Amino acid sequence: MSLRRLGFLSAALLTAATLTACSAEPVEADDPKPSPTGTTAPSGAPGGAPDKGGLALADAIRKIPVAKEKRTGYERDSFKHWVDEDDDGCPTRQEVLLAEAVTAPEQGDRCTLTGGSWTSYYDEAEVTDAKKLDIDHMVPLAEAWDSGAHDWTPERREDYANDLDAERSLVAVTAKTNRSKADKDPAAWMPPAQSATCTYLVDWTATKLRWNLSADETEQAALLDLAESCADSTVEYEPAS
């Protein structure tokens, strides 16, 4: 069973007041969303152990390897996603929705979800219909391919596409914002809500470090420029297994 799913099951035993403190980001159902200047949940660092206590956002950005992108050969189907890794009847999409619900939905046969509410942190939208939410890969699949995943095995790409063990890798957001983002990096797209800026930069950086993905020069420059307004933000990360 995934760490994300375990967090949801534990949260089900808490009071309703605790449940309403849940975040729109992929965090445990009883954890409030961090402020834009808060730390990320652990993600991954290339080739080494995480820095205890986190890195300043700008320092974490500089830790991302810089390399040219490679799109040749990319197909979305190269990343098998929305699998039911723990065979509990809930594929990855539902696991994220359950974990991120502000108000927990009712769970029916085959993990169908009824009711519930969510907050899309990209645009601060309140959503009460799970069908109106997309599950966004923080670093899009095409961007991951460009940044190193083209050299991965199919199994590792599947692990990446269904990463429930890092709370920032996948996030439930409005379909409108997810489709506006598409496969763009922060040099070309940022969430429309100003409150999301620092959280998004931290989440993006943590995901790149977690999976040892590179950034091209334009991306790195944009990240560092945007990070200037997030001086108090820090990044914690753990390597993906």
Side-chain angles (χ1 to χ4, degrees), residues 142-197:
E143 170 69 19
W145 178 276
D146 296 349
S147 306
H150 54 268
D151 281 336
W152 293 353
T153 64
E155 292 77 17
R156 187 162 181 81
R157 286 195 286 266
E158 179 178 331
D159 289 344
Y160 176 83
N162 299 277
D163 186 10
L164 294 173
D165 290 333
E167 296 171 342
R168 308 299 181 173
S169 295
L170 301 168
V171 52
V173 295
T174 55
K176 178 181 179 180
T177 54
N178 184 46
R179 294 167 196 183
S180 172
K181 173 182 174 178
D183 62 359
K184 302 179 183 75
D185 68 27
W189 188 90
M190 285 291 292
Q194 186 174 2
S195 63
T197 296

Side-chain angles (χ1 to χ4, degrees), residues 33-57:
K33 185 177 79 174
S35 70
T37 57
T39 63
T40 66
S43 279
D51 291 82
K52 301 302 181 183
L55 284 172
L57 176 56

Side-chain angles (χ1 to χ4, degrees), residues 214-237:
S214 63
D216 62 22
E217 292 181 355
T218 300
E219 177 187 342
Q220 184 196 53
L223 288 169
L224 289 171
D225 182 59
L226 291 163
E228 289 182 1
S229 63
C230 306
D232 295 331
S233 296
T234 57
V235 180
E236 298 176 22
Y237 49 90

Side-chain angles (χ1 to χ4, degrees), residues 2 5 8-9 82-96 98 107-113 162 164:
S2 70
R5 180 65 167 153
F8 171 77
L9 293 174
W82 307 163
V83 301
D84 182 8
E85 184 178 359
D86 55 8
D87 296 320
D88 67 348
C90 293
T92 302
R93 173 181 165 82
Q94 269 77 352
E95 296 277 17
V96 176
L98 286 167
Q107 184 177 332
D109 292 342
R110 299 182 180 179
C111 208
T112 56
L113 305 181
N162 299 277
L164 294 173

